[in-house]
Structure formats: C-alpha cells, structure tokens
Amino acid sequence: MKIKVVKNILDANEQMAAENKVLFKKKGIVAINIMASPGAGKTSLILQTIDALGERLAVIEGDLASTFDAEKVGKKHVPVVQINTDGGCHLDAAMIRTSLEKLKLDGVRYLFIENVGNLVCPAEFQLGEDRRVVVASVPEGDDKPFKYPGMFATVQAVVLNKMDVLPYIDFSVARFLEGVRAINPKAPVFQVSCRTKEGLSDWIDWLKKIAS
Amino acid sequence: MKIKVVKNILDANEQMAAENKVLFKKKGIVAINIMASPGAGKTSLILQTIDALGERLAVIEGDLASTFDAEKVGKKHVPVVQINTDGGCHLDAAMIRTSLEKLKLDGVRYLFIENVGNLVCPAEFQLGEDRRVVVASVPEGDDKPFKYPGMFATVQAVVLNKMDVLPYIDFSVARFLEGVRAINPKAPVFQVSCRTKEGLSDWIDWLKKIAS
C-alpha cells in the first residue's frame, strides 16, 4: 500500500516532468538540475556560472526555508524565483511548473534549478531537466559515491568543489573518482574551487557544448 | 490523500518509537540519535566518543548502502549493526527494533544510532531515543540553522564539528550560533574537531550527565 502510493506520486511527477521538458524545448532553454548535500556549494557554483557565461541565465532556488540564496543570485541581475518547500525534502516537477510562471524567460538560454540540499530524495524526482548534476565537496569525504549511489548514478556530470581545502582534509581524489566510476562510468568529473575559481573553465565549456 | 497516508506512516512510527523507548528504559540504556548532512562527521564523533567513554557502548549504523561505517566502529570492539536502507532517506523506529535483536545489549549503557546522512527527513521520525543530536560542520556554512530549521528545532544538542578548518573557510561562528538560538534557544552547542579532539570534553561531560 505504502509502495503503491509512492509509485503513483512518482508516476504523476514523471508526467509533469515530461510536460516541462516539452516546454523547455519549445522555448529553447537548457535546464540544469543542481543537486548536493547541504553546503556543498550549489549556490556558489551557480554564482560563478552566471559570472562566466555571457548568455542569459535564469535561476530557480529550492530551500526548505529562507530566501538567502535567491537574494545572492538576485544581486547578479538575473531572473530568479525562490521555492520554499516548507520542510519538503526535494523539488518536484509541479513546483518547477509553478515557478516558471513567475520567471521572465524571454531570451533565457540556461535555467539553473538549485534543488533542496539533500543527497538522497532529489535523485528520485525528475523535473523535466536536460541535465542532472551533483555537486560534491572535499570536506564531505571521498566515500560519498559509495554511500549515496542513487544520486551518483542519476547524474550526467559531477562537480567536486572546495578543492582549495584539500591540503587540510583527509580526502583521496583517486578514491572519490574510483567511487564515481564504479557507479557512473561516463559522467565527467570537474574538480573545482568556487572560492578560487580553479578548474571552472572545463565546467563552463561543458555547459556551452550542451547549448550549442 | 497523500497527506493522510504520510500521517498514518508517522503515527505508526510514533507507536513503535514509544515501544522502543520503554525497552531502552527497561534495559537501562541511553539511546542517542545522531543526525547530520552527509560527511559532517557523525561516524568520527561516535569513534571519538567510544575512545573517551569508559562505559560500554553499542552502535547502530544507518546508510543507504555500504558497510564502511560499521567496519570502522567494529574495529573499536563494541557491538555494532549496520542498517542499509537501500535508498531510504531516514531510519525509522521499526528498523531500530529489528537491529536491537542483532545486538548484544547486556551491560550496554549508551546506544548510538547514526542516522542516514540527511538534514531533512530524519527530523520527522522518532526512534524512541532519549536525546536527538545534530552534527553540523564548518565547511557546510554558517547559514544551515536558518535553512534547515526543522532539524535544528528537534534536537537537544548541536555539535559543530571541523573547527580545525575554520581558518580556511568563510564561516562566522557568531552567525551560526545566532541561527541556532533563533530556532532552538536551549540546546547546548559543542564546538569541536573530531580530527584534533579539540572541545570534545564538554560533549563527553554532557553524555555522562544524561546517564547519571
């Protein structure tokens, strides 16, 4: 019974996600779903990406509570809307649909969707996005791909952030990459620091290729 | 409909949690539910606590997948059992009940329950524990209490881990404490580094007081 209800919710979400996908394609928008643990650097990556990409971006910010992230993005003068899930552990396709009505999308080429900070539940919910990306960070430890395989299996790219603190943390890049490869043989892994801007150019090139 | 089902699941869990609580009291066990984001340092805190407390401990390790954490704890020669939730985003009271059958609890004074790495969903589920603790870590950022109020509201203590990397991270301890206080005026906040052992003695004293 419990499983059946969950299946119905997921099926309804998939239907709505498929509709979002059609809408994005019609408007010529590349939608990127950014997922991560709390504090891995999703917002920092989006801010750096806004700075690097000349093309027009829009952002949907997902959080349980607060508007901090939308305020940071708003200072960059790009269209942004904040979703507060009020305790909800992930974004779903219906939330994205509602948010789209509040965003000026004319001329927008990339829509960044910052999911709720959670390495588990967002993996289960399609939003209609073109690409799914997980941001991991060095202080979280090199075992995360092994421990959260559902998330690392569902993405088309991995961003390993906070490389600048590597000297101060017990973290093996080789073991992290081994974990990613065991679960997801194809996804590129971008080793970056949003603080020092190290390694961001490969990430930006990857984004440009998607939209070309 | 969806909300009703969720409520039924939560009610059934509360009932089972109440039974666990009776069982713990009968056996003279203090049960501590340790919750945090992935990689905040739950396992490290438990390992340090095993070293510091002469009294007998047992540990339940919760993870989506893998047995890394149970293996680390097992090396300390304390009773340990690993729960793999197979994608599930939190532990529930029924999982704890099943695990208890696999643990030798004679002479055990503290049972540490390491929840799934998730700052959202575990907050909703009572396990029958005596105390709920959240481990936050400096690299996650000082805004976490504001952004995950449900978790910070539900706990009786906050451990702020990885204080050793404070010089390398943009993090205001004052702002973090302000966030905790806004949501949870009473819970003590222990500023520690499980790597350098800084600040752990106050945490250990707090644990000793609970069991005295």
Side-chain angles (χ1 to χ4, degrees):
Chain A
M1 173 58 178
K2 183 177 165 188
I3 288 164
K4 188 161 173 279
V5 171
V6 171
K7 191 179 177 305
N8 288 349
I9 292 168
L10 284 174
D11 285 351
N13 185 70
E14 298 261 323
Q15 175 63 32
M16 178 79 72
E19 292 172 22
N20 287 350
K21 196 180 271 289
V22 169
L23 186 71
F24 292 142
K25 194 160 186 182
K26 197 173 152 190
K27 288 188 177 284
I29 291 171
V30 173
I32 316 273
N33 180 4
I34 307 279
M35 299 177 284
S37 301
K42 295 181 293 303
T43 311
S44 299
L45 183 68
I46 289 170
L47 293 173
Q48 290 295 338
T49 304
I50 294 170
D51 286 349
L53 280 177
E55 298 179 72
R56 192 135 179 243
L57 276 84
V59 181
I60 295 175
E61 284 291 341
D63 280 296
L64 279 73
S66 89
T67 56
F68 296 140
D69 292 349
E71 287 162 24
K72 284 180 196 167
V73 169
K75 283 182 187 160
K76 299 281 185 184
H77 306 292
V78 300
V80 59
V81 60
Q82 175 85 49
I83 299 173
N84 277 156
T85 63
D86 195 24
C89 54
H90 61 272
L91 297 182
D92 63 31
M95 294 175 193
I96 301 306
R97 170 71 57 88
T98 308
S99 302
L100 290 176
E101 292 162 11
K102 296 177 194 159
L103 277 174
K104 285 186 189 170
L105 291 175
D106 298 332
V108 165
R109 192 75 186 93
Y110 293 93
L111 174 66
F112 278 81
I113 302 167
E114 181 176 341
N115 220 308
V116 172
N118 183 338
L119 215 47
V120 188
C121 314
E124 301 283 323
F125 287 81
Q126 299 290 330
L127 307 178
E129 68 275 60
D130 295 280
R131 295 290 187 283
R132 321 187 91 196
V133 176
V134 63
V135 183
S137 65
V138 166
E140 290 171 68
D142 50 30
D143 58 358
K144 290 301 153 295
F146 299 100
K147 294 177 80 174
Y148 299 84
M151 178 58 80
F152 282 84
T154 192
V155 298
Q156 286 83 43
V158 177
V159 176
L160 176 58
N161 189 25
K162 306 193 190 179
M163 287 296 288
D164 58 302
V165 297
L166 194 59
Y168 316 113
I169 304 275
D170 300 323
F171 185 98
S172 160
V173 174
R175 187 172 181 232
F176 179 83
L177 294 175
E178 182 197 325
V180 174
R181 283 294 154 258
I183 292 150
N184 189 327
K186 282 192 198 164
V189 180
F190 302 107
Q191 299 177 36
V192 312
S193 163
C194 289
R195 198 190 197 195
T196 67
K197 307 192 183 186
E198 170 194 346
L200 284 168
S201 59
D202 287 347
W203 159 249
I204 298 298
D205 287 346
W206 183 79
L207 289 171
K208 284 182 179 170
K209 267 183 206 157
I210 299 168
S212 66
Chain B
M1 174 62 178
K2 184 177 165 186
I3 287 162
K4 187 160 175 279
V5 171
V6 171
K7 190 176 178 309
N8 287 350
I9 292 169
L10 285 173
D11 285 351
N13 185 70
E14 297 261 323
Q15 174 62 32
M16 177 79 72
E19 292 172 25
N20 287 351
K21 197 179 271 287
V22 170
L23 186 71
F24 292 141
K25 194 161 187 182
K26 197 173 153 191
K27 288 187 177 285
I29 291 171
V30 174
I32 317 272
N33 179 5
I34 308 279
M35 298 176 284
S37 300
K42 296 180 294 300
T43 311
S44 300
L45 183 69
I46 289 170
L47 292 173
Q48 291 296 338
T49 304
I50 294 170
D51 285 350
L53 280 177
E55 297 178 75
R56 191 136 179 245
L57 275 84
V59 180
I60 295 175
E61 285 290 341
D63 280 295
L64 279 73
S66 89
T67 56
F68 298 139
D69 293 348
E71 287 162 24
K72 284 181 195 166
V73 170
K75 284 182 187 159
K76 298 281 185 186
H77 306 292
V78 300
V80 60
V81 62
Q82 175 85 49
I83 299 173
N84 278 155
T85 63
D86 195 23
C89 54
H90 60 272
L91 297 182
D92 64 32
M95 295 175 193
I96 302 306
R97 170 70 58 88
T98 308
S99 301
L100 290 175
E101 292 162 11
K102 298 176 193 160
L103 277 175
K104 285 185 189 171
L105 291 174
D106 298 333
V108 166
R109 191 75 186 93
Y110 294 93
L111 174 66
F112 278 81
I113 303 166
E114 180 177 340
N115 220 308
V116 173
N118 183 338
L119 215 48
V120 187
C121 314
E124 300 282 323
F125 288 80
Q126 298 291 331
L127 306 178
E129 68 276 61
D130 295 279
R131 296 290 188 282
R132 321 188 92 198
V133 176
V134 64
V135 183
S137 66
V138 167
E140 290 170 68
D142 50 31
D143 58 358
K144 289 301 154 292
F146 298 100
K147 293 178 79 172
Y148 299 85
M151 177 59 77
F152 283 84
T154 192
V155 298
Q156 286 84 44
V158 178
V159 176
L160 176 58
N161 189 27
K162 307 192 190 180
M163 288 295 288
D164 57 304
V165 297
L166 193 59
Y168 316 111
I169 304 275
D170 301 321
F171 184 98
S172 160
V173 174
R175 185 170 182 234
F176 179 83
L177 293 174
E178 181 197 327
V180 174
R181 283 295 154 258
I183 292 150
N184 189 326
K186 281 192 200 166
V189 180
F190 302 107
Q191 300 177 34
V192 313
S193 163
C194 289
R195 198 189 196 196
T196 67
K197 307 190 183 186
E198 169 193 346
L200 284 169
S201 59
D202 287 347
W203 159 249
I204 298 298
D205 287 346
W206 183 78
L207 289 171
K208 285 181 177 167
K209 266 183 208 158
I210 300 168
S212 68

